[in-house]
Amino acid sequence: MKLSKVLTGLAGCVLATASLTGCIVVGHDDDHDHLTRGSLTVALTIDGSDDPWACFDHDVSGVAVSVEDEDGFLVVDAVGDCDDLGLTIDGLSEGYYDVDVWLVDFDGDAMSDIVRVESVDVLDGADTLVEVDFPWRWIDS
């Protein structure tokens, strides 16, 4: 056998092997789950009104929200501006939550009864709406 044929065959094997170890570009990967989170939006009305002036009329500064998981552990406490008539809490894992909502004054002190909404179902990749109304008689003005 001639040496040139052996070298040609060997070179062909090396080139074939090198082409097998190249990069592969994948445009979409369906084999991997991507972690997503859900959000919870608390929408507030005062005595049935969604007018921000209702906050001013009752000397309310903010809305406080406390979220607990199914086991009763605190997940998040948040306070939003009453004029926004609610707030959104992002980054919640899928599951059921109990949500407490109350109104606060400028010092952060409670000004209303606490409204508890139980077993709120938060789904991954979705926003769950919780609507809460505070009748005027529940507010300490």
Side-chain angles (χ1 to χ4, degrees), residues 79-130:
V79 177
D81 190 357
C82 185
D83 292 343
D84 294 336
L85 296 171
L87 59 92
T88 299
I89 299 169
D90 294 315
L92 295 174
S93 299
E94 186 171 87
Y96 290 93
Y97 296 91
D98 293 335
V99 181
D100 291 333
V101 183
W102 65 97
L103 303 176
V104 296
D105 63 14
F106 290 99
D107 295 325
D109 296 325
M111 291 192 61
S112 70
D113 293 345
I114 296 174
V115 176
R116 184 171 188 89
V117 182
E118 296 181 337
S119 299
V120 175
D121 190 10
V122 173
L123 302 173
D124 284 343
D127 183 52
T128 302
L129 177 64
V130 174

Side-chain angles (χ1 to χ4, degrees), residues 22-132:
C23 294
I24 298 174
V25 177
V26 178
H28 183 70
D29 187 3
D30 290 331
D31 294 337
H32 293 87
D33 293 328
H34 300 282
L35 182 63
T36 59
R37 300 287 184 162
S39 61
L40 175 74
T41 296
V42 176
L44 169 70
T45 55
I46 295 179
D47 206 30
S49 173
D50 63 355
D51 184 353
W53 281 102
C55 298
F56 178 78
D57 291 342
H58 294 282
D59 295 322
V60 174
S61 172
V63 56
V65 177
S66 178
V67 179
E68 296 176 352
D69 65 13
E70 291 177 286
D71 298 321
F73 292 105
L74 179 66
V75 175
V76 67
D77 272 331
V79 177
D81 190 357
C82 185
D83 292 343
D84 294 336
L85 296 171
L87 59 92
T88 299
I89 299 169
D90 294 315
L92 295 174
S93 299
E94 186 171 87
Y96 290 93
Y97 296 91
D98 293 335
V99 181
D100 291 333
V101 183
W102 65 97
L103 303 176
V104 296
D105 63 14
F106 290 99
D107 295 325
D109 296 325
M111 291 192 61
S112 70
D113 293 345
I114 296 174
V115 176
R116 184 171 188 89
V117 182
E118 296 181 337
S119 299
V120 175
D121 190 10
V122 173
L123 302 173
D124 284 343
D127 183 52
T128 302
L129 177 64
V130 174
E131 297 176 306
V132 178

